[in-house]
Amino acid sequence: MMRIFLGWFTSVFLNAIALIAVAQLFESFYIKDFQTALIASIVLSILNFIVRPILIVLTLPITIMTFGFFILIINAITLMITQNLMGEAFIIDGFGVAFLASILISLITIFLQKLIGDTVKQS
C-alpha cells in the first residue's frame, strides 16, 4: 500500500514540476507558486482517474478515426477543467495554449520519470 502511495505522490510531484516548467515557457500559462502546482497536479490526477476515462469512452469513434491523436485533445480538456477548478491561481489563456501545454507537460513528466527511475535503479 505504501509503495502505491509513494508512486502516486512521486508522479504528482513530478507533474507539479512540469507545470511550473511550462508556466516558465508560456506567458499565457500562469501558475501562482509551487504549492498551487502541487494542488493542481492532485486535481489533475483525480480528473485523469475519473473524468478522462469517461471522455475517452464517449469519444472512442473519433479517437479511433484519428489513430489516437484525439487523446491529445482530451488531455487539453482535462487541463482546462483543472484550470477552471483552481480559479485565479492557475490561468490558461485559451485552448491552444492548453493543447501545447498538455503535450509539454506529458513530455517533461516522462523525462523526469525516466530520470528518477534511472537514479533509483543506480542506487
Side-chain angles (χ1 to χ4, degrees):
M1 183 69 167
M2 184 65 167
R3 177 168 262 181
I4 292 171
F5 175 75
L6 187 59
W8 175 78
F9 181 75
T10 302
S11 177
V12 165
F13 187 78
L14 295 178
N15 203 25
I17 293 172
L19 284 169
I20 291 290
V22 169
Q24 298 301 311
L25 293 173
F26 293 107
E27 199 170 288
S28 52
F29 188 99
Y30 169 77
I31 197 149
K32 183 179 175 184
D33 54 18
F34 190 72
Q35 181 180 355
T36 304
L38 272 175
I39 295 168
S41 185
I42 291 168
V43 170
L44 190 58
S45 174
I46 293 167
L47 288 174
N48 281 336
F49 183 73
I50 297 170
V51 175
R52 189 170 182 262
I54 295 168
L55 290 174
I56 289 172
V57 168
L58 290 175
T59 61
L60 195 57
I62 194 166
T63 302
I64 291 170
M65 287 183 349
T66 60
F67 301 108
F69 285 111
F70 196 75
I71 297 291
L72 298 173
I73 301 293
I74 292 172
N75 290 345
I77 290 170
T78 55
L79 191 59
M80 290 296 287
I81 293 170
T82 302
Q83 177 247 202
N84 285 330
L85 293 172
M86 292 294 296
E88 295 293 318
F90 183 23
I91 299 170
I92 302 172
D93 291 334
F95 188 77
V97 175
F99 181 77
L100 291 174
S102 68
I103 293 170
L104 285 174
I105 290 166
S106 297
L107 292 174
I108 293 168
T109 302
I110 289 169
F111 173 75
L112 292 173
Q113 285 175 341
K114 294 287 184 190
L115 189 67
I116 296 296
D118 291 343
T119 305
V120 171
K121 287 177 187 174
Q122 292 177 1
S123 300

